[in-house]
Amino acid sequence: MSDREFGGNDDLSLPKATVQKIVTEILPPSSGLVFGKDARDLLIECCVEFITLISSEANDISEKESKKTIACDHITKALEQLGFGAYVQEIMEVANEHKEQLKGREKKSNKLEQSGLSVDQLLAMQEEAFRDAAQRHG
Amino acid sequence: EIKTKFPVARIKRIMQADEEVGKVAQVTPVAVSKALELFMIALVSGAAEKAREKGSKKVSAQHLKQVVEGDEQWDFLGEIVGRVGEGQDAGAGNGGERKRKGK
């Protein structure tokens, strides 16, 4: 591990506050149980290990497919191979939602291009609309 | 079910800390984040169960360790939890309940 690059950066861990919030959602006060600090810290280490394990496995899978980018499919295959196949369905749902969101954003920026009008024409239309409004309210 | 989300950028960074890992598609850390959420639910719930079995109100690292040792699925966490309990349980009943898994 190179010290130069990460020099003392704790960033290869997960934010304690976030982890604690999630733990509290899983184990609310009504459960009558409290999650100790030692348990939380250990949990964080386990989480990082899990991410690392999945990434490594997914990376191997993507390489076998001669792909340079780790895709969602590689993650789900990795999970199945590692015995976490039960997670796949929910992950696919989340991933699909996210992809839909991404498409939505693209659509917005393309609206301009898809209108088939140049910026000048659009500006002219806007000025006309302003004049109309001014007349109506003037 | 769970409202709090992990920082996606952080997950991506952890993934790429492995030198072997190259590029990662935009949706990939989101998928990993969800997997992590499910992983946490499983571990935390399991540990809570252990705590309840022992009649304890506080879920400790020991309980997490017991979850890990109780299922092959968590074998990859063996080393991490192995460090738990060093010098902590001084003589506290390690009773006959311990199951040693032969390999």
Side-chain angles (χ1 to χ4, degrees):
Chain A
M1 286 238 208
S2 78
D3 289 311
R4 247 180 300 149
E5 270 190 293
F6 301 120
N9 241 355
D10 226 13
D11 280 327
L12 288 189
S13 174
L14 293 168
K16 289 185 188 175
T18 306
V19 172
Q20 188 57 56
K21 268 197 213 151
I22 295 175
V23 168
T24 307
E25 284 193 57
I26 301 169
L27 283 184
S30 55
S31 66
L33 289 169
V34 164
F35 210 73
K37 216 164 66 100
D38 61 337
R40 185 200 60 205
D41 290 344
L42 183 63
L43 180 64
I44 290 176
E45 284 186 59
C46 292
C47 287
V48 173
E49 188 66 23
F50 179 70
I51 295 172
T52 305
L53 179 75
I54 303 296
S55 306
S56 179
E57 193 76 13
N59 191 51
D60 285 347
I61 293 172
S62 73
E63 277 179 8
K64 284 196 193 121
E65 293 180 9
S66 308
K67 301 272 164 66
K68 287 188 189 157
T69 306
I70 301 186
C72 194
D73 282 345
H74 303 140
I75 299 291
T76 51
K77 275 192 200 129
L79 286 166
E80 276 169 14
Q81 283 178 16
L82 292 164
F84 294 100
Y87 297 0
V88 172
Q89 200 190 344
E90 282 191 61
I91 289 171
M92 297 295 296
E93 285 172 15
V94 169
N96 286 332
E97 268 174 39
H98 190 86
K99 285 182 201 164
E100 283 302 311
Q101 279 179 24
L102 288 177
K103 272 195 226 153
R105 276 185 229 154
E106 279 174 28
K107 275 202 195 126
K108 270 195 205 157
S109 65
N110 278 338
K111 204 175 159 184
L112 198 62
E113 292 156 6
Q114 283 172 1
S115 69
L117 300 167
S118 72
V119 180
D120 285 344
Q121 283 175 306
L122 287 167
L123 272 173
M125 280 170 68
Q126 187 182 56
E127 286 189 32
E128 213 184 289
F130 283 157
R131 267 180 270 136
D132 277 347
Q135 273 181 351
R136 270 181 271 138
H137 294 287
Chain B
E1 210 188 69
I2 303 288
K3 295 189 202 118
T4 311
K5 297 292 167 202
F6 289 107
V8 174
R10 186 75 69 93
I11 291 185
K12 185 174 171 198
R13 220 176 320 170
I14 295 173
M15 289 179 77
Q16 293 182 314
D18 181 344
E19 286 167 359
E20 303 259 318
V21 171
K23 290 192 246 175
V24 163
Q26 201 171 2
V27 72
T28 301
V30 173
V32 175
S33 167
K34 186 66 181 176
L36 188 59
E37 182 186 295
L38 297 170
F39 168 81
M40 270 188 68
I41 291 174
L43 262 191
V44 172
S45 307
E49 201 45 51
K50 294 288 175 193
R52 282 194 194 106
E53 278 171 26
K54 312 281 172 181
S56 177
K57 292 218 171 122
K58 185 165 164 189
V59 182
S60 72
Q62 270 297 337
H63 299 132
L64 269 175
K65 182 178 181 186
Q66 283 155 23
V67 173
V68 168
E69 290 177 344
D71 193 335
E72 277 178 357
Q73 193 183 46
W74 309 124
D75 272 356
F76 69 99
L77 297 172
E79 215 181 287
I80 291 177
V81 302
R83 290 182 241 136
V84 176
E86 280 168 29
Q88 276 178 22
D89 284 350
N94 253 340
E97 287 271 272
R98 278 215 99 206
K99 287 183 201 158
R100 292 239 161 240
K101 278 197 292 183
K103 274 211 174 166

